[in-house]
Amino acid sequence: MRANGNFGQVEARQGGAGGMLAPGGYACLIHEVEDGTEESSPYIGLVLNVLDQKTKRLMDTQDLADPENHWRHTYKYFVSSFDAPGIDWARYKALVEAVEGTAQNKGFVYQDVDGGERQLVGKWVGCVFRRYLYVPKRGKHAGQQREGVELSYVLPAADAIAGNFDPKLAERRDARPKELQGTPYPPEQQVTKAPAAPPAPAPVAPAPVAAPPVPALDIADEDIPF
């Protein structure tokens, strides 16, 4: 993306309040960034490797080794404004300050230059994720009600882990058409016939010998500073 030219004077502001990632705050390592600021709704695509705080392991390192799988872990951080076209620099500054405010980035200071978003690659940031309901207009699921995960808010990683954010930011958002909003999800299924009787239990076979567990990816302590 292009430089702002007066980035130091911008006041940061955010708008709004694999398997499915549980809603909440996480520390994330920015694996890659995508520049979507030329789109009608400008955004920065953050390809995130999410830290599992319980196991102290990054969840998606193996998957992200293949660039073809980056789309699975890309979250759009919108830097658009509802009031005016183009980039809302205050929202972008909020992302930069969340990265600068994460101690594990060792004093990183953003430089306002063209392509400056590339400086975020390899940095830690805190993210609040939430579920959202939607009905896609294209693709194989067009017209069907779906549930996804979206990036709701960014903040320093330590604050995300500690839960130092408004809980409403992790609440599910209903982006379905108005006539569907407030209806149950998944949609209630009507029973058209009596359920079949359960089959007779099959004979119990001897338990197979368990295969040896697959060794977990070994990540050095210095790579996981939390």
Side-chain angles (χ1 to χ4, degrees):
M1 61 188 292
R2 59 180 172 81
N4 172 265
N6 193 35
F7 195 68
Q9 302 303 314
V10 174
E11 181 180 350
R13 181 181 67 251
Q14 297 186 62
M20 292 275 280
L21 193 65
Y26 295 82
C28 301
L29 187 62
I30 301 175
H31 182 83
E32 186 56 86
V33 294
E34 299 174 357
D35 181 7
T37 56
E38 299 299 322
E39 302 294 330
S40 57
S41 295
Y43 69 90
I44 298 295
L46 298 174
V47 183
L48 298 174
N49 199 346
V50 181
L51 177 67
D52 184 334
Q53 191 62 24
K54 293 182 179 179
T55 64
K56 304 295 184 181
R57 293 186 180 277
L58 291 164
M59 299 182 188
D60 307 306
T61 300
Q62 185 173 356
D63 207 24
L64 288 171
D66 182 359
E68 295 295 322
N69 290 326
H70 284 189
W71 65 272
R72 301 177 185 271
H73 311 285
T74 301
Y75 299 88
K76 290 184 178 181
Y77 179 81
F78 285 96
V79 292
S80 54
S81 172
F82 293 107
D83 302 324
I87 299 173
D88 183 343
W89 286 100
R91 281 186 56 81
Y92 181 67
K93 185 95 179 256
L95 171 61
V96 168
E97 289 190 352
V99 175
E100 290 180 332
T102 297
Q104 287 72 17
N105 294 327
K106 301 178 180 178
F108 164 73
V109 177
Y110 179 83
Q111 302 299 314
D112 181 26
V113 296
D114 290 344
E117 72 279 2
R118 300 296 310 165
Q119 299 169 60
L120 306 182
V121 176
K123 304 299 189 299
W124 289 93
V125 70
C127 296
V128 179
F129 296 103
R130 66 184 173 193
R131 303 281 178 85
Y132 73 107
L133 303 178
Y134 68 107
V135 178
K137 296 181 180 180
R138 296 180 293 275
K140 65 179 181 179
H141 299 296
Q144 301 177 21
Q145 297 186 54
R146 305 281 291 171
E147 185 175 29
V149 176
E150 66 181 0
L151 176 59
S152 171
Y153 199 73
V154 293
L155 67 172
D159 288 334
I161 294 172
N164 295 333
F165 54 86
D166 188 338
K168 291 183 179 180
L169 293 167
E171 292 180 356
R172 188 166 69 174
R173 182 174 71 92
D174 195 340
R176 295 175 297 176
K178 289 184 178 180
E179 63 271 16
L180 293 175
Q181 291 184 11
T183 61
Y185 181 85
E188 294 177 335
Q189 302 294 326
Q190 292 186 344
V191 179
T192 57
K193 61 180 181 179
V204 178
V209 177
V214 178
L217 182 64
D218 184 18
I219 301 176
D221 290 341
E222 59 268 21
D223 295 331
I224 306 296
F226 294 93

